[in-house]
Amino acid sequence: MSQPLQAANYRPATEIDALMPDIATPVAAASFPQTILRYRNDRAAASVGLEGLDDRDWVSHFGRFSPLEGSLPQPLALRYHGHQFRHYNPDIGDGRGFLFAQLLEKGGRLLDLGTKGSGQTPYSRFGDGRLTLKGGVREILATEMLEALGVNTSRTLSLIETGEALERNDEPSPTRGSVLVRLSHSHIRIGTFQRAAYHGDGPFLERLVEYSLTRLYGQRPGSNPAAQLFNHVVERAADLAASYMVAGFVHGVLNSDNINVTGESFDYGPWRFTPLWEPGFTAAYFDHAGLYAFGRQAEAIHWDVAQLAVSLRTIMEADPLIESLEHFPSLYSQALQRRFCWRLGVGDGDAGVMTEAAVRGMIATGTPIDRFFHDWRGGSLLDSNAYGDSAWTAFRNAMAAFIPCAGARDHPYWSDEAPCSMHIDEVEAIWSAIDERDDWSPLHDKVTAIRRMGDALGTAPPPP
């Protein structure tokens, strides 16, 4: 047994056993030619007592997937269905990842360690089960930036280069391979419920509901557990959609198998941060219709949540589900205002007019999203003419009613000339340094800069 795993805050779990064998298929990890440790997130590891692992043990667990003591004895490829770009697909599941372990974080909340690029499973179809190194680097950048911007997101725990040469049609090939491990508060998707409903498995749906309430939300089931769970999912999903908008983030693939019932964002493929408040901005080159464009993300997530209602309808009456679903737009609006106030560093209030005026001002003047929030949080522009254009008059007037929170502007980050951003040119430059010179310093420097910004922003408003 590795000595670090005796730490007081290392608490292994096997909660997923309550859903076996219906939830997953036991699988084995791929055997990689090499396991070169490229990134370890000790800040995230500390939340589950893993920060004391030396690099050898780290690679053994997160590159060779030797089991963590007391947790799952074998990886599990999760089963689920999903609507992909509004087309139902019953032939999916964990095709290049699996649930590797479960742990309890310091506060006692359940955490999953899931993988990406860990090899083929029964659900791989025609895929090779691998992840490109570029894809892994991009996921580090996405999760670090989103965490700093207050989005409820998975965290990238580990990235290990595997020594494989992969062929891809969307990257210059051959390209380097990797395997990634993420921490997430569950991998139970809307698509998990859809699969159970598709097979008419009412008892398993009821077990999924109970597991989600008790293990994921820490609640005792009431008189109508399915409705109780659905209320939570609607609230969390509306908050997730709002958080994407205030962060200027476009997930790219908001299929129902990519929506977690805890409202936690995860699984980053063709993501982008939009420089401008441009509703039609898309992240995925294959999203020709703009279904998951920046300005349509709330609509997309609302639609996905409706598919959960359809699945739950097989075990309960429709009226409570419809009532909860109808609250999504107002919950989204409230969350958008709450998160706008947080990023601006001002107290909560009736921020509808202010938020609308800010969006109109950004669109009319072409002001970058990150620039706008940085300038107004920093406070240096409140008495200047930098935003003197008439397009900002309504915002300036509305903003006058809001009082800065204590300490909101104290961090030296707010004196920086430019905000910390994560646009595609910088992502590509970070990858080029790795690809061309094996220089990882720009990545690590960027993670440091992102975390500094996160410290300046402070703790985001908690989800409902």
Side-chain angles (χ1 to χ4, degrees):
M1 180 177 67
S2 299
Q3 187 67 26
L5 297 187
Q6 297 183 24
N9 57 336
Y10 173 72
R11 299 167 61 191
T14 58
E15 300 296 308
I16 199 70
D17 286 347
L19 296 175
M20 289 296 287
D22 305 278
I23 190 70
T25 301
V27 293
S31 180
F32 300 115
Q34 294 178 289
T35 46
I36 307 167
L37 180 57
R38 294 301 192 183
Y39 175 81
R40 56 177 287 168
N41 186 345
D42 281 321
R43 184 172 72 170
S47 68
V48 286
L50 295 174
E51 75 279 14
L53 289 172
D54 62 27
D55 285 354
R56 183 187 63 180
D57 285 338
W58 186 281
V59 168
S60 174
H61 291 304
F62 306 132
R64 300 296 183 190
F65 297 101
S66 60
L68 288 172
E69 183 183 359
S71 191
L72 305 182
Q74 186 173 358
L76 300 173
L78 300 176
R79 302 170 182 162
Y80 46 86
H81 290 179
H83 277 89
Q84 299 185 309
F85 287 84
R86 302 284 168 90
H87 297 286
Y88 194 77
N89 189 348
D91 297 320
I92 54 178
D94 278 344
R96 58 171 176 168
F98 47 60
L99 178 63
F100 170 60
Q102 291 187 305
L103 304 170
L104 299 179
E105 59 186 353
K106 289 180 181 179
R109 193 177 177 192
L110 182 66
L111 273 171
D112 287 352
L113 275 68
T115 67
K116 195 172 185 179
S118 49
Q120 291 179 313
T121 76
Y123 314 110
S124 298
R125 292 178 287 170
F126 301 107
D128 62 8
R130 268 52 173 185
L131 172 69
T132 67
L133 186 61
K134 182 178 183 180
V137 168
R138 283 173 48 83
E139 185 136 342
I140 292 169
L141 293 170
T143 54
E144 287 285 346
M145 192 71 177
L146 289 174
E147 183 181 5
L149 291 171
V151 175
N152 184 18
T153 179
S154 64
R155 291 168 291 167
T156 304
L157 178 68
S158 171
L159 183 68
I160 290 174
E161 188 168 359
T162 60
E164 293 182 313
L166 307 178
E167 295 291 332
R168 293 290 186 268
N169 58 14
D170 57 353
E171 289 186 36
S173 296
T175 187
R176 295 151 73 176
S178 69
V179 62
L180 177 145
V181 176
R182 63 173 172 241
L183 282 173
S184 183
H185 293 101
S186 155
H187 287 79
I188 304 297
R189 303 154 162 86
I190 289 175
T192 311
F193 286 80
Q194 288 182 283
R195 180 181 178 274
Y198 179 89
H199 289 294
D201 194 343
F204 183 49
L205 272 171
E206 292 173 350
R207 289 164 59 206
L208 278 171
V209 168
E210 181 180 11
Y211 178 92
S212 299
L213 282 174
T214 59
R215 271 78 166 190
L216 309 184
Y217 282 96
Q219 291 194 348
R220 178 176 297 178
S223 59
N224 191 340
Q228 183 181 348
L229 173 64
F230 190 67
N231 286 338
H232 289 307
V233 176
V234 171
E235 290 173 346
R236 292 287 183 90
D239 183 69
L240 175 64
S243 72
Y244 280 169
M245 299 302 289
V246 176
F249 181 71
V250 186
H251 184 282
V253 188
L254 293 174
N255 296 331
S256 63
D257 57 295
N258 283 340
I259 305 297
N260 195 319
V261 295
T262 60
E264 185 174 72
S265 180
F266 75 113
D267 201 16
Y268 300 101
W271 61 268
R272 290 276 196 97
F273 283 89
T274 175
L276 306 175
W277 197 285
E278 184 180 346
F281 183 94
T282 57
Y285 67 88
F286 46 82
D287 187 5
H288 304 296
L291 182 64
Y292 299 143
F294 176 59
R296 297 184 67 184
Q297 292 184 114
E299 169 198 336
I301 293 173
H302 190 188
W303 191 92
D304 287 329
V305 173
Q307 307 318 303
L308 177 59
V310 172
S311 298
L312 292 176
R313 176 64 185 85
T314 62
I315 58 172
M316 65 170 288
E317 295 299 318
D319 288 350
L321 298 169
I322 294 170
E323 182 180 357
S324 292
L325 198 60
E326 288 176 344
H327 288 154
F328 186 97
S330 62
L331 290 168
Y332 168 74
S333 178
Q334 293 164 21
L336 191 72
Q337 294 174 46
R338 183 171 63 249
R339 287 181 170 276
F340 241 87
C341 288
W342 170 74
R343 195 168 178 189
L344 285 168
V346 298
D348 284 348
D350 185 1
V353 172
M354 181 268 283
T355 300
E356 291 178 8
V359 171
R360 287 197 301 269
M362 282 188 277
I363 292 174
T365 62
T367 301
I369 296 171
D370 297 318
R371 179 86 263 175
F372 162 77
F373 282 111
H374 186 78
D375 288 346
W376 284 90
R377 175 70 172 258
S380 61
L381 301 179
L382 296 182
D383 298 315
S384 76
N385 292 319
Y387 284 73
D389 189 288
S390 60
W392 290 106
T393 301
F395 173 73
R396 292 178 68 92
N397 292 338
M399 190 66 174
F402 290 85
I403 300 172
C405 297
R409 299 171 180 167
D410 290 351
H411 197 283
Y413 169 78
W414 302 115
S415 298
D416 292 356
E417 291 186 5
C420 180
S421 298
M422 182 58 68
H423 300 142
I424 190 62
D425 54 346
E426 186 166 9
V427 175
E428 292 297 330
I430 290 169
W431 168 245
S432 293
I434 294 169
D435 184 41
E436 296 170 6
R437 304 184 300 278
D438 216 29
D439 180 3
W440 290 78
S441 58
L443 172 66
H444 295 296
D445 290 346
K446 188 62 180 181
V447 169
T448 299
I450 292 170
R451 292 183 177 183
R452 177 172 175 267
M453 177 187 69
D455 290 342
L457 282 166
T459 303

